[in-house]
């Protein structure tokens, strides 16, 4: 597409983009229609019912001559009018509600077969990790035509991962994970911005999304620096060096066994339950006392301040891979689809 001097809207380069734009343009058109209608009627009535000398002068009893008394207007047409201006807006806003609701769920539920990418925001850069171990800064390479699920966190303050061409914008928060997804429809290079004011160099916290043909992407993956480790294998090293294995790899009375645990429900002390998703695993590492698994003593030390955001991602990737190794892949996929339902 040739570069234009001015773009009314950014490129539409994801499957979500047309859906978002359709709703946007509908809302703009609807607002414009009613704004013009109301402004037009305002002017029309102001002129039509402007003050005229013979209507405006009240007699000595305060009665305006020539004006029509609204109390004696026809009740039928007035009632019909009131019903019309109640029912028509009701139908319109209900339509907007159901339309935008459908779009919201489409945006917030990544497809089950999405490839995973981890994003860590910090002042003032984006750090990206692929499951195969490749790392990027201020760049994200993805294949065209494949859904990509982003799991994001921040090392410091609130940032926002914004890809205008994909119509995706999601806050990136310290202390928890947020997710977003997209499926690029056209190869090319698209801008990435931080859309939340995050300090002095906020405006410089920009990057690129490089959408490639699958073959080119595969070639890129093989050529990109990965440190020779996948996220899961890096996580395995951390798992051992932090001493997690002693309590969590075997059937120990000290801590729950983690193989196959990812994506599955967990019974907690006190009768509540949780799902072992990324957010749960993250909390269990940083703040183990927050949710105690039923039947285990609350003895795990906190790793707050000892693991970086990137190491957390690696540890979680390792726990996920434990599920897959033990034939738990189907179960974790099921768990993931259950997650999307809530
Ligand atoms: Cu990060 Cu603005």
């Amino acid at each position: 597409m040739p570069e234009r001097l001015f773009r009314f809207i950014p490129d539409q380069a994801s499957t979500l983009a047309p859906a978002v734009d359709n709703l946007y343009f509908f809302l703009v058109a609807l607002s414009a229609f009613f704004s013009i209608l109301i402004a037009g009627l305002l002017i029309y009535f102001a002129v039509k019912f402007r003050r005229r000398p013979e209507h405006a002068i009240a007699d000595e009893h305060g009665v305006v001559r020539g004006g029509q008394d609204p109390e004696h207007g026809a009740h039928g047409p007035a009632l019909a009018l009131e019903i019309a201006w109640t029912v028509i807006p009701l139908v319109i806003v209900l339509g907007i509600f159901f339309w935008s609701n459908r779009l919201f769920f489409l945006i917030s539920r990544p497809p089950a077969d999405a490839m995973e990418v981890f994003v860590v925001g910090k002042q003032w850069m984006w750090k990206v990790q692929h499951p195969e171990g490749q790392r990027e800064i201020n760049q994200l390479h993805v294949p065209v035509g494949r859904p990509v699920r982003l799991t994001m966190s921040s090392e410091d303050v609130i940032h926002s991962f914004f890809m205008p061409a994909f119509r995706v914008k999601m806050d990136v928060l310290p202390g928890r994970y947020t997710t977003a997804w997209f499926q690029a429809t056209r190869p090319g290079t698209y801008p990435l911005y931080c859309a939340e004011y995050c300090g002095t160099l906020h405006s410089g916290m920009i990057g690129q999304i490089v959408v490639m043909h699958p073959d080119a992407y595969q070639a890129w993956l093989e050529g990109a620096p990965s440190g020779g480790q996948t996220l899961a294998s890096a996580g395995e090293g951390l798992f051992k060096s932090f001493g997690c294995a002693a309590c969590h790899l075997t059937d120990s009375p000290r801590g729950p066994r983690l193989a196959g645990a990812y994506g599955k429900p967990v019974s907690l002390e006190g009768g509540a339950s949780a799902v072992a998703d990324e957010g749960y695993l993250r909390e269990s590492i940083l703040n183990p006392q927050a949710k105690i698994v039923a039947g285990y003593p609350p003895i795990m030390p906190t790793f707050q301040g000892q693991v970086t955001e990137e190491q957390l991602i690696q540890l979680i990737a390792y726990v996920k891979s434990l599920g897959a190794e033990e034939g738990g892949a189907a179960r974790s996929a099921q768990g993931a689809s259950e997650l999307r339902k809530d």
Side-chain angles (χ1 to χ4, degrees):
M1 181 180 279
E3 283 296 316
R4 277 167 285 151
L5 198 59
F6 173 77
R7 282 163 190 267
F8 183 60
I9 56 166
D11 284 331
Q12 287 186 334
S14 80
T15 53
L16 296 173
V20 172
D21 289 354
N22 289 346
L23 179 62
Y24 171 77
F25 285 122
F26 172 76
L27 291 175
V28 170
L30 188 73
S31 308
F33 172 78
F34 280 106
S35 301
I36 291 167
L37 180 72
I38 291 167
L41 287 176
L42 200 68
I43 293 166
Y44 171 75
F45 287 138
V47 172
K48 183 170 157 81
F49 297 109
R50 70 188 180 278
R51 171 182 288 196
R52 293 192 177 93
E54 70 270 24
H55 287 164
I57 300 163
D59 63 19
E60 62 272 25
H61 304 295
V63 174
V64 177
R65 283 174 283 115
Q68 203 190 1
D69 184 351
E71 284 299 311
H72 295 109
H75 275 262
L79 183 67
L81 193 63
E82 291 209 19
I83 289 174
W85 75 41
T86 307
V87 170
I88 292 172
L90 180 71
V91 168
I92 293 173
V93 294
L94 278 179
I96 294 171
F97 172 76
F98 285 110
W99 185 352
S100 45
N101 217 29
R102 230 183 87 221
L103 188 58
F104 176 79
F105 281 108
L106 179 71
I107 289 171
S108 46
R109 294 176 171 179
D113 59 341
M115 88 179 217
E116 277 204 280
V117 169
F118 295 90
V119 174
V120 176
K122 66 171 277 192
Q123 291 170 320
W124 286 274
M125 64 169 82
W126 297 108
K127 297 190 281 189
V128 174
Q129 297 187 73
H130 294 255
E132 298 84 358
Q134 289 77 5
R135 288 154 174 273
E136 309 185 62
I137 295 211
N138 292 341
Q139 278 205 323
L140 168 58
H141 288 73
V142 293
V144 69
R146 179 137 179 235
V148 178
R149 174 179 184 240
L150 305 170
T151 301
M152 305 188 285
S153 187
S154 165
E155 273 181 25
D156 37 47
V157 299
I158 300 176
H159 304 275
S160 182
F161 200 81
F162 181 31
M163 302 175 289
F166 302 159
R167 308 295 188 273
V168 170
K169 184 196 278 174
M170 178 51 78
D171 277 5
V172 178
L173 308 172
R176 57 182 267 199
Y177 289 125
T178 53
T179 58
W181 79 277
F182 63 90
Q183 178 174 335
T185 50
R186 289 206 325 251
T189 301
Y190 303 98
L192 159 68
Y193 299 108
C194 178
E196 182 68 51
Y197 181 66
C198 56
T200 314
L201 297 183
H202 156 72
S203 61
M205 196 167 163
I206 53 180
Q208 290 179 324
I209 313 293
V210 183
V211 178
M212 311 170 91
H213 280 291
D215 294 344
Y217 176 71
Q218 208 51 47
W220 175 84
L221 265 188
E222 279 153 26
S226 67
Q229 279 188 311
T230 65
L231 281 188
S233 63
E236 183 175 13
L238 292 168
F239 200 79
K240 287 183 177 141
S241 69
F242 284 125
C244 315
C247 302
H248 291 298
L249 273 193
T250 56
D251 285 317
S252 157
R254 293 158 56 84
R257 187 178 156 89
L258 292 182
Y262 175 73
K264 291 213 291 196
V266 186
S267 303
L268 302 177
E269 203 68 67
S273 73
V275 172
D277 57 5
E278 284 94 348
Y280 172 87
L281 293 173
R282 175 201 174 84
E283 183 185 57
S284 297
I285 295 167
L286 297 180
N287 184 13
Q289 310 304 322
K291 294 192 176 75
I292 304 290
V293 177
Y296 292 96
I299 53 170
M300 178 168 157
T302 171
F303 288 85
Q304 188 89 51
Q306 298 178 56
V307 284
T308 65
E309 284 299 331
E310 282 151 283
Q311 290 175 325
L312 272 173
I313 287 166
Q314 293 163 355
L315 282 167
I316 290 167
Y318 174 61
V319 172
K320 280 190 195 179
S321 74
L322 284 176
E325 272 169 23
E326 306 234 334
R331 287 201 304 270
S332 64
Q334 186 196 353
S337 71
E338 276 161 15
L339 276 180
R340 274 189 300 279
K341 277 177 206 144
D342 53 42

